[in-house]
Amino acid sequence: MSIIISPEFKKLKNRLSDLILIHHELLLQICPNIEREYLLKFGSLEYELYKKDVKLSMLKRKLQLIQIQISTEEEIDIELIDEILEEEFFKYKENIKKHMDELNGAMEEQHICLLSKKDTKRLKLIYKQCVLKLHPDLNPNLSNREKDLFIQITEAFKNGNLNALESLYYFVPNKKVEFESEIERLQELIECEEKEIAEIKEKYPYNKKELLLDDNEIYEYEVMLNNLITQFDDDIQRCMDEIDLI
């Protein structure tokens, strides 16, 4: 069954589907690709910098705990101090591990084959049609089977798997029923999508996009990170020397 719908409704629905596509592309493809490239260029240096930052903080805290024991005329108990440090810095060590896992993941994915411009265009075109017919915001009365189908389609889009997306597209129903009364709802959804897209573009990793396009900025950032690492090394050595003198 189909009914006549207003041009405004069609226009709004197409606008919303375009925004959903942009939103999903940012979340599922563009931002992950930016983050992967950023980690491959700077991940090792930032990992080393963070690790040294934690080490220096631990040494400073260790020195502080030793000085407290000395000031209270207690016998210096390094084993107890190390236990305290382990507990206090547990979450920081977990962050170090997480950072390394992210870096390893980026290195594993760097050899993934990218689609050609032609295939990328087709991927977006098919996905947009799927969004129009299966996205919950545009189709509030989806069956469970249709919801599961859209999850599979979104995963195929995320992975840039054109073959899988083309196969799944054959199972998308050809719905034609629309409701003009939903114009106000569509306008609200459009505003929401526009806001979320703007927020994504202001945050990491999208805010690193321009940096990755400028070779001079890349070089300058690498130099800055290396200088900070050297500075941390000097501070760490000074702190260790101070502890050894106690």
Side-chain angles (χ1 to χ4, degrees):
M1 183 181 92
S2 64
I3 61 176
I4 298 174
I5 60 175
S6 71
E8 183 182 3
F9 184 92
K10 288 182 178 180
K11 181 180 178 180
L12 289 172
K13 190 166 184 179
N14 283 329
R15 173 59 178 161
L16 180 57
S17 68
D18 287 341
L19 289 171
I20 289 172
L21 175 60
I22 293 170
H23 190 177
H24 285 197
E25 189 178 15
L26 281 168
L27 287 178
L28 303 178
Q29 293 186 334
I30 295 174
C31 284
N33 288 339
I34 291 173
E35 184 171 30
R36 186 182 306 115
E37 186 178 354
Y38 182 85
L39 287 171
L40 289 171
K41 287 188 181 298
F42 307 116
S44 295
L45 288 172
E46 290 191 344
Y47 168 77
E48 192 66 22
L49 184 61
Y50 182 72
K51 193 167 65 170
K52 290 182 184 297
D53 187 11
V54 172
K55 183 175 181 179
L56 179 59
S57 297
M58 289 182 71
L59 286 170
K60 287 181 176 180
R61 177 60 173 153
K62 185 174 186 176
L63 181 59
Q64 181 186 44
L65 292 171
I66 291 173
Q67 290 170 340
I68 290 173
Q69 288 185 343
I70 292 173
S71 66
T72 56
E73 298 183 349
E74 297 178 38
E75 182 179 349
I76 297 176
D77 189 340
I78 296 299
E79 185 174 333
L80 175 60
I81 288 174
D82 287 340
E83 288 178 2
I84 294 172
L85 291 173
E86 190 67 28
E87 181 178 347
E88 290 183 352
F89 285 85
F90 175 77
K91 67 177 181 179
Y92 297 101
K93 290 186 176 182
E94 286 291 298
N95 286 338
I96 290 174
K97 182 180 181 302
K98 180 182 177 182
H99 193 121
M100 177 51 72
D101 290 343
E102 290 174 350
L103 180 58
N104 288 335
M107 294 179 70
E108 289 173 2
E109 294 175 359
Q110 66 178 312
H111 300 300
I112 293 177
C113 294
L114 299 177
L115 293 175
S116 66
K117 289 184 178 180
K118 179 181 178 181
D119 285 345
T120 298
K121 183 178 180 179
R122 178 162 176 76
L123 185 84
K124 293 180 182 180
L125 178 62
I126 294 176
Y127 187 67
K128 179 182 177 180
Q129 294 303 311
C130 293
V131 166
L132 275 168
K133 296 174 182 178
L134 291 176
H135 194 282
D137 285 345
L138 295 167
N139 306 275
N141 298 316
L142 293 173
S143 67
N144 289 333
R145 186 186 70 81
E146 289 168 337
K147 291 176 182 177
D148 290 340
L149 178 61
F150 189 61
I151 290 173
Q152 295 178 58
I153 286 169
T154 301
E155 189 67 19
F157 177 74
K158 174 183 177 181
N159 296 327
N161 192 335
L162 179 58
N163 290 334
L165 189 61
E166 287 179 328
S167 298
L168 291 167
Y169 185 58
Y170 284 109
F171 297 95
V172 176
N174 186 25
K175 293 187 173 182
K176 296 183 180 179
V177 178
E178 310 286 3
F179 300 94
E180 292 188 50
S181 60
E182 293 188 354
I183 286 179
E184 186 176 338
R185 174 175 168 272
L186 284 175
Q187 290 171 331
E188 291 175 355
L189 290 171
I190 286 171
E191 290 178 6
C192 182
E193 286 292 334
E194 288 174 338
K195 180 180 177 182
E196 290 187 15
I197 289 170
E199 288 175 351
I200 289 172
K201 290 184 176 182
E202 290 176 356
K203 298 185 295 187
Y204 175 86
Y206 192 88
N207 59 8
K208 301 298 182 183
K209 182 180 178 181
E210 295 303 317
L211 167 63
L212 294 169
L213 295 174
D214 191 318
D215 289 339
N216 288 331
E217 287 194 26
I218 289 173
Y219 173 75
E220 289 174 3
Y221 190 55
E222 287 175 338
V223 170
M224 183 193 74
L225 290 174
N226 279 307
N227 288 339
L228 287 172
I229 289 171
T230 299
Q231 182 179 329
F232 270 111
D233 282 334
D234 293 340
D235 292 341
I236 287 170
Q237 188 59 54
R238 277 194 293 270
C239 200
M240 290 174 65
D241 290 343
E242 192 172 349
I243 291 173
D244 289 341
L245 292 173
I246 296 176

Coordinates of all heavy atoms in Angstrom, one line a residue, residues 103-137:
L103 N 47.3 1.0 20.2 CA 48.4 1.1 19.3 C 48.6 -0.2 18.5 O 48.8 -0.1 17.3 CB 49.7 1.5 20.0 CG 51.0 1.7 19.2 CD1 50.8 2.8 18.1 CD2 52.2 2.1 20.1
N104 N 48.6 -1.3 19.2 CA 48.8 -2.6 18.5 C 47.6 -2.8 17.5 O 47.8 -3.3 16.4 CB 48.8 -3.7 19.6 CG 50.1 -3.7 20.3 OD1 51.1 -3.3 19.8 ND2 50.1 -4.3 21.5
G105 N 46.4 -2.4 18.0 CA 45.2 -2.6 17.1 C 45.4 -1.7 15.8 O 45.1 -2.2 14.7
A106 N 45.9 -0.5 16.0 CA 46.1 0.4 14.8 C 47.1 -0.2 13.8 O 47.0 -0.2 12.6 CB 46.5 1.8 15.2
M107 N 48.2 -0.8 14.4 CA 49.2 -1.4 13.6 C 48.7 -2.6 12.8 O 49.1 -2.9 11.7 CB 50.4 -1.8 14.5 CG 51.1 -0.6 15.1 SD 52.5 -1.0 16.1 CE 53.7 -1.6 14.9
E108 N 47.8 -3.4 13.5 CA 47.3 -4.6 12.9 C 46.3 -4.2 11.7 O 46.2 -4.9 10.7 CB 46.5 -5.4 13.9 CG 47.4 -6.1 14.9 CD 46.6 -6.8 16.0 OE1 45.3 -6.7 15.9 OE2 47.2 -7.4 16.9
E109 N 45.7 -3.1 11.8 CA 44.7 -2.7 10.8 C 45.2 -1.8 9.7 O 44.5 -1.5 8.7 CB 43.5 -1.9 11.5 CG 42.7 -2.7 12.5 CD 41.7 -1.9 13.2 OE1 41.7 -0.7 13.0 OE2 40.9 -2.4 14.0
Q110 N 46.5 -1.5 9.8 CA 47.0 -0.5 8.8 C 47.1 -1.2 7.4 O 47.3 -0.5 6.4 CB 48.4 0.0 9.2 CG 49.5 -1.1 9.3 CD 50.8 -0.5 9.7 OE1 51.3 0.5 9.1 NE2 51.5 -1.2 10.6
H111 N 47.1 -2.5 7.3 CA 47.2 -3.2 6.0 C 45.8 -3.5 5.4 O 45.7 -4.1 4.4 CB 48.0 -4.4 6.2 CG 49.4 -4.2 6.7 ND1 50.3 -3.4 6.0 CD2 50.0 -4.6 7.8 CE1 51.4 -3.4 6.7 NE2 51.3 -4.1 7.8
I112 N 44.7 -3.0 6.1 CA 43.4 -3.2 5.5 C 43.3 -2.5 4.2 O 43.6 -1.4 4.0 CB 42.3 -2.7 6.5 CG1 42.3 -3.6 7.8 CG2 40.9 -2.8 5.8 CD1 41.3 -3.1 8.8
C113 N 42.8 -3.2 3.2 CA 42.6 -2.6 1.8 C 41.5 -1.6 1.8 O 40.4 -1.9 2.3 CB 42.3 -3.7 0.8 SG 43.7 -4.9 0.6
L114 N 41.8 -0.5 1.3 CA 40.7 0.6 1.2 C 40.0 0.4 -0.1 O 40.5 0.0 -1.1 CB 41.4 2.0 1.3 CG 42.2 2.3 2.6 CD1 42.8 3.6 2.4 CD2 41.2 2.2 3.7
L115 N 38.7 0.8 -0.1 CA 37.9 0.7 -1.3 C 38.3 1.8 -2.3 O 38.8 2.9 -1.9 CB 36.4 0.9 -0.9 CG 35.8 -0.2 -0.1 CD1 34.3 0.2 0.2 CD2 35.7 -1.5 -0.9
S116 N 38.1 1.6 -3.6 CA 38.3 2.6 -4.6 C 37.2 3.7 -4.4 O 36.2 3.5 -3.7 CB 38.2 2.0 -6.0 OG 36.8 1.5 -6.2
K117 N 37.4 4.8 -5.1 CA 36.4 5.9 -5.0 C 35.1 5.4 -5.5 O 34.0 5.8 -5.0 CB 36.9 7.1 -5.8 CG 38.1 7.8 -5.1 CD 38.4 9.1 -5.9 CE 39.5 9.9 -5.3 NZ 39.9 11.1 -6.0
K118 N 35.1 4.6 -6.6 CA 33.9 4.1 -7.2 C 33.1 3.2 -6.2 O 31.9 3.3 -6.0 CB 34.2 3.4 -8.5 CG 33.0 2.8 -9.2 CD 33.4 2.0 -10.4 CE 32.1 1.4 -11.1 NZ 32.5 0.6 -12.3
D119 N 33.9 2.3 -5.6 CA 33.2 1.4 -4.7 C 32.8 2.1 -3.4 O 31.7 1.7 -2.8 CB 34.2 0.2 -4.3 CG 34.3 -0.8 -5.4 OD1 33.5 -0.7 -6.3 OD2 35.3 -1.6 -5.4
T120 N 33.5 3.1 -3.0 CA 33.1 3.9 -1.8 C 31.8 4.6 -2.0 O 31.0 4.7 -1.2 CB 34.2 4.9 -1.4 OG1 35.4 4.2 -1.1 CG2 33.8 5.8 -0.2
K121 N 31.7 5.2 -3.2 CA 30.5 5.9 -3.6 C 29.3 4.9 -3.6 O 28.2 5.2 -3.1 CB 30.6 6.5 -5.0 CG 29.4 7.3 -5.5 CD 29.7 7.9 -6.8 CE 28.5 8.8 -7.3 NZ 28.8 9.4 -8.6
R122 N 29.5 3.7 -4.1 CA 28.4 2.7 -4.2 C 28.1 2.2 -2.7 O 26.9 2.0 -2.4 CB 28.9 1.5 -5.0 CG 27.8 0.4 -5.1 CD 28.1 -0.6 -6.2 NE 27.1 -1.7 -6.2 CZ 25.8 -1.6 -6.5 NH1 25.3 -0.4 -7.0 NH2 25.0 -2.6 -6.5
L123 N 29.1 2.1 -1.9 CA 28.9 1.7 -0.5 C 28.0 2.7 0.2 O 27.0 2.3 0.9 CB 30.2 1.6 0.2 CG 30.2 1.1 1.7 CD1 30.2 -0.4 1.7 CD2 31.4 1.6 2.5
K124 N 28.3 4.0 0.0 CA 27.5 5.1 0.6 C 26.0 5.1 0.1 O 25.1 5.3 0.8 CB 28.1 6.4 0.4 CG 29.4 6.6 1.1 CD 30.0 8.0 0.8 CE 31.3 8.2 1.5 NZ 31.9 9.6 1.2
L125 N 25.9 4.9 -1.3 CA 24.6 4.9 -1.9 C 23.7 3.8 -1.4 O 22.6 4.0 -1.0 CB 24.8 4.8 -3.4 CG 23.5 4.8 -4.3 CD1 22.7 6.1 -4.1 CD2 23.8 4.5 -5.7
I126 N 24.3 2.6 -1.3 CA 23.5 1.5 -0.8 C 23.1 1.7 0.6 O 22.0 1.4 1.1 CB 24.2 0.1 -1.0 CG1 24.4 -0.2 -2.5 CG2 23.5 -1.0 -0.3 CD1 25.3 -1.4 -2.8
Y127 N 24.1 2.1 1.4 CA 23.8 2.3 2.8 C 22.7 3.4 3.1 O 21.9 3.2 4.0 CB 25.1 2.7 3.6 CG 25.0 2.8 5.1 CD1 24.7 1.6 5.8 CD2 25.0 4.0 5.8 CE1 24.6 1.6 7.2 CE2 24.9 4.0 7.1 CZ 24.7 2.8 7.8 OH 24.5 2.9 9.2
K128 N 22.8 4.4 2.3 CA 21.7 5.5 2.4 C 20.4 4.9 2.1 O 19.4 5.2 2.9 CB 22.0 6.6 1.4 CG 21.0 7.7 1.5 CD 21.2 8.8 0.5 CE 20.1 9.9 0.6 NZ 20.3 11.0 -0.4
Q129 N 20.2 4.0 1.1 CA 19.0 3.4 0.8 C 18.5 2.5 2.0 O 17.3 2.4 2.4 CB 19.1 2.5 -0.4 CG 19.3 3.3 -1.7 CD 18.2 4.4 -1.9 OE1 17.0 4.1 -1.9 NE2 18.7 5.6 -2.2
C130 N 19.5 1.8 2.6 CA 19.2 1.0 3.8 C 18.7 1.9 5.0 O 17.8 1.5 5.7 CB 20.4 0.2 4.2 SG 20.9 -1.1 3.0
V131 N 19.4 3.0 5.2 CA 19.0 3.9 6.2 C 17.6 4.4 6.0 O 16.8 4.4 7.0 CB 20.0 5.1 6.3 CG1 19.4 6.2 7.1 CG2 21.3 4.7 6.8
L132 N 17.2 4.7 4.8 CA 15.9 5.2 4.5 C 14.8 4.2 4.9 O 13.7 4.5 5.4 CB 15.7 5.6 3.0 CG 16.2 6.9 2.6 CD1 16.3 7.0 1.1 CD2 15.3 8.0 3.1
K133 N 15.1 2.9 4.7 CA 14.1 1.9 4.8 C 14.2 1.2 6.2 O 13.2 0.5 6.6 CB 14.2 0.9 3.7 CG 13.9 1.5 2.3 CD 14.2 0.5 1.2 CE 14.0 1.2 -0.1 NZ 14.3 0.2 -1.3
L134 N 15.3 1.3 6.9 CA 15.5 0.4 8.1 C 15.9 1.2 9.3 O 16.0 0.6 10.4 CB 16.5 -0.7 7.8 CG 16.1 -1.8 6.9 CD1 17.2 -2.8 6.6 CD2 14.9 -2.5 7.4
H135 N 16.3 2.5 9.2 CA 16.8 3.2 10.4 C 15.6 3.4 11.3 O 14.5 3.9 10.9 CB 17.4 4.5 10.0 CG 18.2 5.1 11.2 ND1 17.6 5.8 12.2 CD2 19.5 5.1 11.5 CE1 18.5 6.2 13.1 NE2 19.7 5.8 12.7
P136 N 15.7 3.1 12.6 CA 14.6 3.3 13.6 C 13.9 4.7 13.6 O 12.7 4.8 13.8 CB 15.2 2.9 14.9 CG 16.3 2.0 14.6 CD 16.9 2.6 13.3
D137 N 14.8 5.7 13.4 CA 14.2 7.1 13.5 C 13.3 7.3 12.3 O 12.3 8.2 12.4 CB 15.3 8.1 13.5 CG 16.0 8.2 14.8 OD1 15.5 7.7 15.8 OD2 17.1 8.7 14.9

